[in-house]
Amino acid sequence: MPTVLVYPIAYAVVPKLTETLTLGKSGKALINSAVKTTAVISLPCAVGLGVLSYSILSLLFPESSAQLASPMLTMLSPAVFFCAILGITNSVLQASGNEKLPMISMTAGIVVKLIASYTLIGVDKIGRFGIPLGTCLSYLVIIILNFIFMCKKTGVVPNFYRVFVRPAFCAFLCGVCAFAVNGFMPDTKIAVFIPIAAAAAVYAVCICISGTVNGDDILYLPKGEKIYGILKKIKLVK
């Protein structure tokens, strides 16, 4: 689901960044804002998926299947964040005229995935958990390479503290809230929506109060103008 919000941002970045770079201007502000907005959307989704893996799976599958699969889903949850960052960094490289570089990153990721999965699955203490671990490792390699290419080709080094550390801290508080509230929920399938709603509310307040996002970041979102108008009215953003 995060891709529903992330990819419209990625699509919007391409023409704007292309125009900015063509005019000889720095794309630093645009790149930082786009990457940060992507992180703000995807990090709580990854954390929530990891913390509430069993409850989410129990909505769709029998209890025995949910218990079996939930540890694997928890280990796979970081891939939600990696996949989102992959999309936005690919767009930045495309906009800067380096559309072939993501193919190098993807090829390296595929190689890592095959080697890691084959190796880890063969380890007795890891076994089937080697599959999600291999997936996360492959995505991690891809986005690291993408960032290296992006920094070299655009000359823009993202502000990693503002782009990742602040949203990650807010996502951590979101996960703590989800875990705590979920512990008090009755053993019913529909109960999972209560900790999700509580965590979402805590996260929204945290990112606004901490100054993690500003008006320019919110405007990148689908329906961003309406969201910005609402948040401005309740004085959560300037």
Side-chain angles (χ1 to χ4, degrees):
M1 291 185 66
T3 56
V4 175
L5 293 174
V6 169
Y7 279 100
I9 298 172
Y11 297 149
V13 164
V14 175
K16 289 183 179 180
L17 184 58
T18 300
E19 179 183 3
T20 300
L21 296 176
T22 300
L23 294 174
K25 299 179 181 179
S26 172
K28 184 175 182 179
L30 178 58
I31 292 173
N32 271 288
S33 187
V35 176
K36 182 173 66 173
T37 304
T38 301
V40 165
I41 294 171
S42 58
L43 276 170
C45 296
V47 172
L49 194 64
V51 172
L52 301 174
S53 59
Y54 170 75
S55 299
I56 293 171
L57 286 172
S58 65
L59 285 171
L60 306 172
F61 305 103
E63 182 178 352
S64 58
S65 298
Q67 289 179 342
L68 181 65
S70 60
M72 296 184 68
L73 182 58
T74 297
M75 298 183 75
L76 186 62
S77 60
V80 173
F81 168 69
F82 294 149
C83 189
I85 296 299
L86 169 63
I88 196 68
T89 52
N90 279 349
S91 294
V92 171
L93 289 171
Q94 179 183 350
S96 60
N98 299 285
E99 64 280 355
K100 294 182 180 180
L101 293 179
M103 296 300 297
I104 298 175
S105 302
M106 294 293 289
T107 301
I110 292 171
V111 173
V112 170
K113 166 65 177 175
L114 294 174
I115 295 174
S117 295
Y118 179 80
T119 303
L120 294 173
I121 291 172
V123 178
D124 292 337
K125 293 184 178 180
I126 299 179
R128 60 192 175 91
F129 295 106
I131 300 173
L133 283 174
T135 298
C136 288
L137 284 173
S138 68
Y139 274 124
L140 181 60
V141 168
I142 294 170
I143 64 171
I144 288 175
L145 289 175
N146 271 7
F147 270 114
I148 291 173
F149 292 146
M150 187 177 75
C151 293
K152 286 186 175 181
K153 296 299 181 179
T154 65
V156 175
V157 179
N159 186 326
F160 285 93
Y161 175 75
R162 291 182 177 274
V163 170
F164 294 119
V165 176
R166 281 188 180 181
F169 178 72
C170 295
F172 170 75
L173 296 178
C174 163
V176 171
C177 175
F179 180 80
V181 174
N182 192 52
F184 292 98
M185 292 296 100
D187 190 18
T188 58
K189 291 186 175 182
I190 198 172
V192 68
F193 292 106
I194 298 176
I196 289 175
V202 167
Y203 184 70
V205 172
C206 284
I207 60 174
C208 291
I209 292 179
S210 65
T212 301
V213 296
N214 53 39
D216 291 336
D217 300 324
I218 295 170
L219 291 174
Y220 278 110
L221 299 173
K223 306 294 183 182
E225 292 183 0
K226 292 184 179 180
I227 296 173
Y228 176 71
I230 294 171
L231 293 177
K232 190 174 182 180
K233 284 183 179 179
I234 59 179
K235 298 182 179 180
L236 284 179
V237 296
K238 296 181 180 181

mmCIF file of all heavy atoms in Angstrom, residues 29-66:
data_model
loop_
_atom_site.group_PDB
_atom_site.id
_atom_site.type_symbol
_atom_site.label_atom_id
_atom_site.label_comp_id
_atom_site.label_asym_id
_atom_site.label_seq_id
_atom_site.Cartn_x
_atom_site.Cartn_y
_atom_site.Cartn_z
ATOM 1 N N ALA A 29 17.159 20.774 -2.783
ATOM 2 C CA ALA A 29 15.943 20.929 -1.990
ATOM 3 C C ALA A 29 14.865 19.961 -2.457
ATOM 4 O O ALA A 29 14.176 19.328 -1.639
ATOM 5 C CB ALA A 29 15.440 22.364 -2.076
ATOM 6 N N LEU A 30 14.712 19.828 -3.771
ATOM 7 C CA LEU A 30 13.702 18.942 -4.330
ATOM 8 C C LEU A 30 13.995 17.487 -4.007
ATOM 9 O O LEU A 30 13.104 16.724 -3.594
ATOM 10 C CB LEU A 30 13.628 19.139 -5.846
ATOM 11 C CG LEU A 30 12.643 18.256 -6.612
ATOM 12 C CD1 LEU A 30 11.226 18.447 -6.092
ATOM 13 C CD2 LEU A 30 12.713 18.556 -8.107
ATOM 14 N N ILE A 31 15.244 17.063 -4.157
ATOM 15 C CA ILE A 31 15.621 15.675 -3.887
ATOM 16 C C ILE A 31 15.449 15.350 -2.412
ATOM 17 O O ILE A 31 14.886 14.318 -2.053
ATOM 18 C CB ILE A 31 17.075 15.417 -4.336
ATOM 19 C CG1 ILE A 31 17.175 15.489 -5.861
ATOM 20 C CG2 ILE A 31 17.557 14.052 -3.839
ATOM 21 C CD1 ILE A 31 18.595 15.421 -6.394
ATOM 22 N N ASN A 32 15.922 16.240 -1.538
ATOM 23 C CA ASN A 32 15.776 16.023 -0.102
ATOM 24 C C ASN A 32 14.316 15.895 0.301
ATOM 25 O O ASN A 32 13.944 15.015 1.079
ATOM 26 C CB ASN A 32 16.435 17.158 0.682
ATOM 27 C CG ASN A 32 17.893 16.897 0.975
ATOM 28 O OD1 ASN A 32 18.240 16.062 1.794
ATOM 29 N ND2 ASN A 32 18.768 17.617 0.303
ATOM 30 N N SER A 33 13.501 16.772 -0.233
ATOM 31 C CA SER A 33 12.085 16.768 0.118
ATOM 32 C C SER A 33 11.386 15.502 -0.370
ATOM 33 O O SER A 33 10.598 14.895 0.349
ATOM 34 C CB SER A 33 11.394 18.007 -0.468
ATOM 35 O OG SER A 33 10.069 18.100 0.003
ATOM 36 N N ALA A 34 11.698 15.087 -1.609
ATOM 37 C CA ALA A 34 11.059 13.898 -2.177
ATOM 38 C C ALA A 34 11.472 12.632 -1.426
ATOM 39 O O ALA A 34 10.628 11.776 -1.112
ATOM 40 C CB ALA A 34 11.421 13.774 -3.652
ATOM 41 N N VAL A 35 12.773 12.506 -1.124
ATOM 42 C CA VAL A 35 13.252 11.323 -0.405
ATOM 43 C C VAL A 35 12.696 11.297 1.013
ATOM 44 O O VAL A 35 12.290 10.256 1.529
ATOM 45 C CB VAL A 35 14.792 11.272 -0.385
ATOM 46 C CG1 VAL A 35 15.279 10.094 0.451
ATOM 47 C CG2 VAL A 35 15.337 11.149 -1.803
ATOM 48 N N LYS A 36 12.661 12.476 1.664
ATOM 49 C CA LYS A 36 12.143 12.542 3.031
ATOM 50 C C LYS A 36 10.657 12.193 3.078
ATOM 51 O O LYS A 36 10.221 11.446 3.963
ATOM 52 C CB LYS A 36 12.362 13.932 3.621
ATOM 53 C CG LYS A 36 11.878 14.059 5.063
ATOM 54 C CD LYS A 36 12.272 15.394 5.682
ATOM 55 C CE LYS A 36 11.598 16.554 5.031
ATOM 56 N NZ LYS A 36 11.865 17.835 5.738
ATOM 57 N N THR A 37 9.891 12.699 2.132
ATOM 58 C CA THR A 37 8.462 12.387 2.095
ATOM 59 C C THR A 37 8.244 10.900 1.900
ATOM 60 O O THR A 37 7.353 10.295 2.517
ATOM 61 C CB THR A 37 7.770 13.171 0.961
ATOM 62 O OG1 THR A 37 8.014 14.568 1.143
ATOM 63 C CG2 THR A 37 6.276 12.926 0.967
ATOM 64 N N THR A 38 9.064 10.289 1.047
ATOM 65 C CA THR A 38 8.983 8.842 0.830
ATOM 66 C C THR A 38 9.291 8.081 2.113
ATOM 67 O O THR A 38 8.608 7.111 2.458
ATOM 68 C CB THR A 38 9.962 8.417 -0.280
ATOM 69 O OG1 THR A 38 9.640 9.122 -1.485
ATOM 70 C CG2 THR A 38 9.890 6.922 -0.527
ATOM 71 N N ALA A 39 10.323 8.528 2.840
ATOM 72 C CA ALA A 39 10.679 7.888 4.104
ATOM 73 C C ALA A 39 9.573 8.054 5.141
ATOM 74 O O ALA A 39 9.252 7.118 5.885
ATOM 75 C CB ALA A 39 11.989 8.463 4.638
ATOM 76 N N VAL A 40 8.974 9.228 5.176
ATOM 77 C CA VAL A 40 7.903 9.503 6.137
ATOM 78 C C VAL A 40 6.702 8.583 5.901
ATOM 79 O O VAL A 40 6.052 8.128 6.846
ATOM 80 C CB VAL A 40 7.472 10.987 6.051
ATOM 81 C CG1 VAL A 40 6.147 11.218 6.759
ATOM 82 C CG2 VAL A 40 8.550 11.869 6.652
ATOM 83 N N ILE A 41 6.431 8.283 4.646
ATOM 84 C CA ILE A 41 5.301 7.400 4.317
ATOM 85 C C ILE A 41 5.634 5.937 4.588
ATOM 86 O O ILE A 41 4.833 5.200 5.178
ATOM 87 C CB ILE A 41 4.896 7.582 2.839
ATOM 88 C CG1 ILE A 41 4.345 8.990 2.607
ATOM 89 C CG2 ILE A 41 3.865 6.529 2.427
ATOM 90 C CD1 ILE A 41 4.136 9.310 1.147
ATOM 91 N N SER A 42 6.806 5.510 4.171
ATOM 92 C CA SER A 42 7.123 4.079 4.180
ATOM 93 C C SER A 42 7.613 3.545 5.521
ATOM 94 O O SER A 42 7.370 2.377 5.858
ATOM 95 C CB SER A 42 8.164 3.767 3.103
ATOM 96 O OG SER A 42 9.343 4.519 3.307
ATOM 97 N N LEU A 43 8.309 4.353 6.312
ATOM 98 C CA LEU A 43 8.871 3.857 7.571
ATOM 99 C C LEU A 43 7.811 3.365 8.551
ATOM 100 O O LEU A 43 7.945 2.268 9.109
ATOM 101 C CB LEU A 43 9.747 4.942 8.222
ATOM 102 C CG LEU A 43 11.189 5.015 7.714
ATOM 103 C CD1 LEU A 43 11.876 6.263 8.231
ATOM 104 C CD2 LEU A 43 11.964 3.768 8.122
ATOM 105 N N PRO A 44 6.743 4.129 8.806
ATOM 106 C CA PRO A 44 5.731 3.605 9.738
ATOM 107 C C PRO A 44 5.024 2.363 9.210
ATOM 108 O O PRO A 44 4.613 1.500 9.994
ATOM 109 C CB PRO A 44 4.751 4.772 9.891
ATOM 110 C CG PRO A 44 4.928 5.584 8.663
ATOM 111 C CD PRO A 44 6.385 5.474 8.332
ATOM 112 N N CYS A 45 4.890 2.266 7.888
ATOM 113 C CA CYS A 45 4.282 1.072 7.299
ATOM 114 C C CYS A 45 5.149 -0.158 7.556
ATOM 115 O O CYS A 45 4.643 -1.230 7.898
ATOM 116 C CB CYS A 45 4.079 1.264 5.797
ATOM 117 S SG CYS A 45 2.932 2.577 5.359
ATOM 118 N N ALA A 46 6.464 0.015 7.386
ATOM 119 C CA ALA A 46 7.392 -1.089 7.634
ATOM 120 C C ALA A 46 7.383 -1.491 9.099
ATOM 121 O O ALA A 46 7.325 -2.688 9.438
ATOM 122 C CB ALA A 46 8.798 -0.694 7.207
ATOM 123 N N VAL A 47 7.424 -0.503 9.987
ATOM 124 C CA VAL A 47 7.420 -0.785 11.430
ATOM 125 C C VAL A 47 6.112 -1.442 11.848
ATOM 126 O O VAL A 47 6.097 -2.431 12.591
ATOM 127 C CB VAL A 47 7.644 0.512 12.227
ATOM 128 C CG1 VAL A 47 7.436 0.270 13.722
ATOM 129 C CG2 VAL A 47 9.051 1.043 11.986
ATOM 130 N N GLY A 48 5.008 -0.894 11.368
ATOM 131 C CA GLY A 48 3.702 -1.458 11.716
ATOM 132 C C GLY A 48 3.530 -2.878 11.220
ATOM 133 O O GLY A 48 2.973 -3.734 11.924
ATOM 134 N N LEU A 49 4.014 -3.135 10.015
ATOM 135 C CA LEU A 49 3.913 -4.481 9.457
ATOM 136 C C LEU A 49 4.731 -5.465 10.282
ATOM 137 O O LEU A 49 4.316 -6.615 10.483
ATOM 138 C CB LEU A 49 4.408 -4.484 8.012
ATOM 139 C CG LEU A 49 4.081 -5.711 7.161
ATOM 140 C CD1 LEU A 49 2.575 -5.848 6.972
ATOM 141 C CD2 LEU A 49 4.765 -5.613 5.805
ATOM 142 N N GLY A 50 5.882 -5.016 10.780
ATOM 143 C CA GLY A 50 6.711 -5.891 11.604
ATOM 144 C C GLY A 50 6.114 -6.152 12.966
ATOM 145 O O GLY A 50 6.083 -7.284 13.448
ATOM 146 N N VAL A 51 5.604 -5.103 13.605
ATOM 147 C CA VAL A 51 5.054 -5.220 14.965
ATOM 148 C C VAL A 51 3.738 -5.984 14.983
ATOM 149 O O VAL A 51 3.480 -6.782 15.887
ATOM 150 C CB VAL A 51 4.876 -3.816 15.574
ATOM 151 C CG1 VAL A 51 4.116 -3.889 16.900
ATOM 152 C CG2 VAL A 51 6.232 -3.148 15.794
ATOM 153 N N LEU A 52 2.904 -5.752 13.982
ATOM 154 C CA LEU A 52 1.558 -6.344 13.964
ATOM 155 C C LEU A 52 1.441 -7.470 12.936
ATOM 156 O O LEU A 52 0.347 -7.743 12.442
ATOM 157 C CB LEU A 52 0.523 -5.256 13.655
ATOM 158 C CG LEU A 52 0.471 -4.071 14.625
ATOM 159 C CD1 LEU A 52 -0.485 -3.013 14.117
ATOM 160 C CD2 LEU A 52 0.055 -4.536 16.016
ATOM 161 N N SER A 53 2.546 -8.120 12.633
ATOM 162 C CA SER A 53 2.541 -9.136 11.575
ATOM 163 C C SER A 53 1.523 -10.244 11.819
ATOM 164 O O SER A 53 0.775 -10.624 10.911
ATOM 165 C CB SER A 53 3.939 -9.736 11.411
ATOM 166 O OG SER A 53 4.382 -10.318 12.623
ATOM 167 N N TYR A 54 1.486 -10.775 13.028
ATOM 168 C CA TYR A 54 0.548 -11.868 13.316
ATOM 169 C C TYR A 54 -0.900 -11.395 13.196
ATOM 170 O O TYR A 54 -1.747 -12.068 12.583
ATOM 171 C CB TYR A 54 0.790 -12.446 14.708
ATOM 172 C CG TYR A 54 -0.295 -13.413 15.134
ATOM 173 C CD1 TYR A 54 -0.353 -14.689 14.592
ATOM 174 C CD2 TYR A 54 -1.281 -13.025 16.033
ATOM 175 C CE1 TYR A 54 -1.369 -15.572 14.949
ATOM 176 C CE2 TYR A 54 -2.289 -13.894 16.398
ATOM 177 C CZ TYR A 54 -2.343 -15.167 15.854
ATOM 178 O OH TYR A 54 -3.352 -16.033 16.205
ATOM 179 N N SER A 55 -1.196 -10.232 13.777
ATOM 180 C CA SER A 55 -2.568 -9.717 13.749
ATOM 181 C C SER A 55 -3.027 -9.436 12.325
ATOM 182 O O SER A 55 -4.184 -9.691 11.969
ATOM 183 C CB SER A 55 -2.662 -8.439 14.593
ATOM 184 O OG SER A 55 -2.330 -8.701 15.939
ATOM 185 N N ILE A 56 -2.125 -8.921 11.503
ATOM 186 C CA ILE A 56 -2.475 -8.627 10.108
ATOM 187 C C ILE A 56 -2.712 -9.916 9.330
ATOM 188 O O ILE A 56 -3.680 -10.043 8.578
ATOM 189 C CB ILE A 56 -1.367 -7.789 9.451
ATOM 190 C CG1 ILE A 56 -1.315 -6.402 10.095
ATOM 191 C CG2 ILE A 56 -1.591 -7.664 7.948
ATOM 192 C CD1 ILE A 56 -0.133 -5.559 9.674
ATOM 193 N N LEU A 57 -1.826 -10.891 9.504
ATOM 194 C CA LEU A 57 -1.979 -12.160 8.783
ATOM 195 C C LEU A 57 -3.214 -12.924 9.234
ATOM 196 O O LEU A 57 -3.834 -13.638 8.437
ATOM 197 C CB LEU A 57 -0.733 -13.021 8.995
ATOM 198 C CG LEU A 57 0.527 -12.578 8.241
ATOM 199 C CD1 LEU A 57 1.727 -13.400 8.684
ATOM 200 C CD2 LEU A 57 0.336 -12.708 6.736
ATOM 201 N N SER A 58 -3.585 -12.779 10.506
ATOM 202 C CA SER A 58 -4.758 -13.494 11.016
ATOM 203 C C SER A 58 -6.056 -12.984 10.402
ATOM 204 O O SER A 58 -7.084 -13.656 10.468
ATOM 205 C CB SER A 58 -4.826 -13.385 12.547
ATOM 206 O OG SER A 58 -5.043 -12.044 12.952
ATOM 207 N N LEU A 59 -5.999 -11.784 9.814
ATOM 208 C CA LEU A 59 -7.176 -11.276 9.103
ATOM 209 C C LEU A 59 -7.451 -12.068 7.833
ATOM 210 O O LEU A 59 -8.592 -12.157 7.370
ATOM 211 C CB LEU A 59 -6.970 -9.802 8.730
ATOM 212 C CG LEU A 59 -7.077 -8.759 9.837
ATOM 213 C CD1 LEU A 59 -6.633 -7.412 9.297
ATOM 214 C CD2 LEU A 59 -8.503 -8.685 10.373
ATOM 215 N N LEU A 60 -6.391 -12.633 7.258
ATOM 216 C CA LEU A 60 -6.488 -13.260 5.941
ATOM 217 C C LEU A 60 -6.379 -14.779 5.965
ATOM 218 O O LEU A 60 -6.884 -15.446 5.061
ATOM 219 C CB LEU A 60 -5.387 -12.700 5.029
ATOM 220 C CG LEU A 60 -5.329 -11.176 4.897
ATOM 221 C CD1 LEU A 60 -4.074 -10.764 4.139
ATOM 222 C CD2 LEU A 60 -6.571 -10.659 4.204
ATOM 223 N N PHE A 61 -5.692 -15.309 6.986
ATOM 224 C CA PHE A 61 -5.390 -16.739 6.990
ATOM 225 C C PHE A 61 -5.772 -17.369 8.329
ATOM 226 O O PHE A 61 -5.966 -16.667 9.323
ATOM 227 C CB PHE A 61 -3.886 -16.960 6.736
ATOM 228 C CG PHE A 61 -3.386 -16.324 5.479
ATOM 229 C CD1 PHE A 61 -2.662 -15.136 5.518
ATOM 230 C CD2 PHE A 61 -3.645 -16.908 4.250
ATOM 231 C CE1 PHE A 61 -2.203 -14.545 4.362
ATOM 232 C CE2 PHE A 61 -3.178 -16.325 3.082
ATOM 233 C CZ PHE A 61 -2.466 -15.146 3.131
ATOM 234 N N PRO A 62 -5.877 -18.700 8.361
ATOM 235 C CA PRO A 62 -6.151 -19.387 9.626
ATOM 236 C C PRO A 62 -5.054 -19.120 10.649
ATOM 237 O O PRO A 62 -3.932 -18.746 10.299
ATOM 238 C CB PRO A 62 -6.169 -20.870 9.222
ATOM 239 C CG PRO A 62 -6.453 -20.869 7.758
ATOM 240 C CD PRO A 62 -5.826 -19.622 7.220
ATOM 241 N N GLU A 63 -5.377 -19.335 11.920
ATOM 242 C CA GLU A 63 -4.438 -19.025 13.004
ATOM 243 C C GLU A 63 -3.112 -19.769 12.855
ATOM 244 O O GLU A 63 -2.042 -19.194 13.084
ATOM 245 C CB GLU A 63 -5.073 -19.374 14.347
ATOM 246 C CG GLU A 63 -4.196 -19.039 15.541
ATOM 247 C CD GLU A 63 -4.865 -19.359 16.866
ATOM 248 O OE1 GLU A 63 -6.057 -19.691 16.859
ATOM 249 O OE2 GLU A 63 -4.182 -19.278 17.908
ATOM 250 N N SER A 64 -3.182 -21.036 12.470
ATOM 251 C CA SER A 64 -1.956 -21.828 12.346
ATOM 252 C C SER A 64 -1.039 -21.253 11.266
ATOM 253 O O SER A 64 0.183 -21.178 11.446
ATOM 254 C CB SER A 64 -2.292 -23.285 12.020
ATOM 255 O OG SER A 64 -3.045 -23.365 10.812
ATOM 256 N N SER A 65 -1.626 -20.840 10.159
ATOM 257 C CA SER A 65 -0.828 -20.254 9.074
ATOM 258 C C SER A 65 -0.251 -18.901 9.474
ATOM 259 O O SER A 65 0.889 -18.581 9.144
ATOM 260 C CB SER A 65 -1.689 -20.094 7.820
ATOM 261 O OG SER A 65 -2.158 -21.344 7.361
ATOM 262 N N ALA A 66 -1.050 -18.102 10.211
ATOM 263 C CA ALA A 66 -0.592 -16.796 10.656
ATOM 264 C C ALA A 66 0.589 -16.930 11.614
ATOM 265 O O ALA A 66 1.563 -16.173 11.538
ATOM 266 C CB ALA A 66 -1.730 -16.031 11.325
#
